[in-house]
Amino acid sequence: DAGVIQSPRHEVTEMGQEVTLRCKPISGHDYLFWYRQTMMRGLELLIYFNNNVPIDDSGMPEDRFSAKMPNASFSTLKIQPSEPRDSAVYFCASSTRAGTEAFFGQGTRLTVV
Amino acid sequence: AQKITQTQPGMFVQEKEAVTLDCTYDTSDPSYGLFWYKQPSSGEMIFLIYQGSYDQQNATEGRYSLNFQKARKSANLVISASQLGDSAMYFCAMRSYNTDKLIFGTGTRLQVFP
């Protein structure tokens, strides 16, 4: 398996634009996590899915953020409209049930100017 | 609610020495797992070691060991015989077996010097 695949690796966008980050989890993994990493706040859990269903989105910072998982092999995190304070590295991770480690993608570095 | 605390923003260690990175946690769940990840400057997240809350023995993986003290709710990472390549950010994480939620601490930056 190729591992967790995120795209794009880097994204630079202007304030107010819509941004969509994509993630393909490892086949057979039924949990998918989205994290945001910043220097100030470390790795924050934004939302996680089990069998394509959102379980906990309490970490989503505000209504500008939304996430979907239309099928077992694809998830998106959308920011609309984007703001400079959204600049961060966004990670997607997948795993099987608790007791096993989560595997991370390479991350998407988002810069909003 | 779950919480992970890493109180050491940065640590220095000389090559070949051992170093302990602290991690404390809080949870009301009786069953959970504890993890450590390494993030080198290249940015990827690398899984290092896992400890289950019911495991009787401390986990070990090569030069990594996890000093698990359940009553104190601590899960410190011990790296023996440090190498220059160990310089990185280290994250402690906890996963509830009840909710499967996986959260991370703020990390400790380890620098190994010759």
Side-chain angles (χ1 to χ4, degrees):
Chain A
D1 201 315
V4 177
I5 300 173
Q6 290 187 246
S7 64
R9 292 292 309 279
H10 302 273
E11 176 82 30
V12 180
T13 190
E14 291 185 347
M15 183 174 62
Q17 296 297 305
E18 177 180 294
V19 176
T20 300
L21 311 182
R22 296 172 176 78
C23 175
K24 176 179 168 55
I26 292 173
S27 176
H29 284 190
D30 47 7
Y31 285 87
L32 185 139
F33 303 86
W34 280 102
Y35 294 90
R36 178 172 67 176
Q37 184 177 20
T38 60
M39 289 289 291
M40 294 298 294
R41 302 172 74 94
L43 264 169
E44 301 173 272
L45 175 63
L46 300 177
I47 185 171
Y48 71 103
F49 296 84
N50 177 218
N51 290 325
N52 313 337
V53 176
I55 303 302
D56 186 339
D57 66 354
S58 60
M60 297 285 262
E62 46 197 279
D63 292 345
R64 298 184 296 107
F65 286 70
S66 62
K68 293 182 180 180
M69 193 165 185
N71 56 61
S73 59
F74 184 65
S75 178
T76 59
L77 178 68
K78 186 177 292 187
I79 308 172
Q80 165 64 16
S82 57
E83 296 182 4
R85 60 194 168 114
D86 301 331
S87 297
V89 178
Y90 291 81
F91 282 102
C92 171
S94 72
S95 81
T96 57
R97 205 159 183 329
T100 60
E101 71 269 27
F103 293 80
F104 280 75
Q106 295 288 79
T108 295
R109 182 174 295 277
L110 173 66
T111 303
V112 183
V113 297
Chain B
Q2 298 171 246
K3 186 177 180 181
I4 291 275
T5 302
Q6 295 181 254
T7 57
Q8 307 156 312
M11 290 283 286
F12 288 89
V13 66
Q14 191 167 30
E15 205 176 2
K16 301 180 184 177
E17 296 295 312
V19 63
T20 298
L21 306 183
D22 294 342
C23 173
T24 58
Y25 61 91
D26 192 18
T27 180
S28 56
D29 292 330
S31 301
Y32 48 89
L34 297 156
F35 304 81
W36 278 91
Y37 283 79
K38 173 183 178 181
Q39 186 180 45
S41 58
S42 52
E44 70 267 34
M45 294 288 287
I46 302 168
F47 164 72
L48 295 178
I49 194 167
Y50 162 79
Q51 177 88 41
S53 59
Y54 288 116
D55 293 341
Q56 295 296 313
Q57 294 194 334
N58 288 340
T60 60
E61 288 287 346
R63 295 186 299 108
Y64 304 109
S65 61
L66 199 153
N67 184 1
F68 180 46
Q69 298 188 44
K70 193 171 183 178
R72 296 180 60 186
K73 294 190 174 180
S74 73
N76 299 338
L77 177 70
V78 180
I79 305 174
S80 62
S82 298
Q83 302 172 356
L84 296 178
D86 294 335
S87 295
M89 280 289 285
Y90 289 82
F91 291 95
C92 179
M94 174 172 63
R95 188 167 186 185
S96 161
Y97 286 11
N98 180 37
T99 64
D100 286 315
K101 190 172 186 176
L102 176 63
I103 63 166
F104 285 76
T106 51
T108 296
R109 180 169 297 283
L110 176 67
Q111 295 190 52
V112 182
F113 59 94

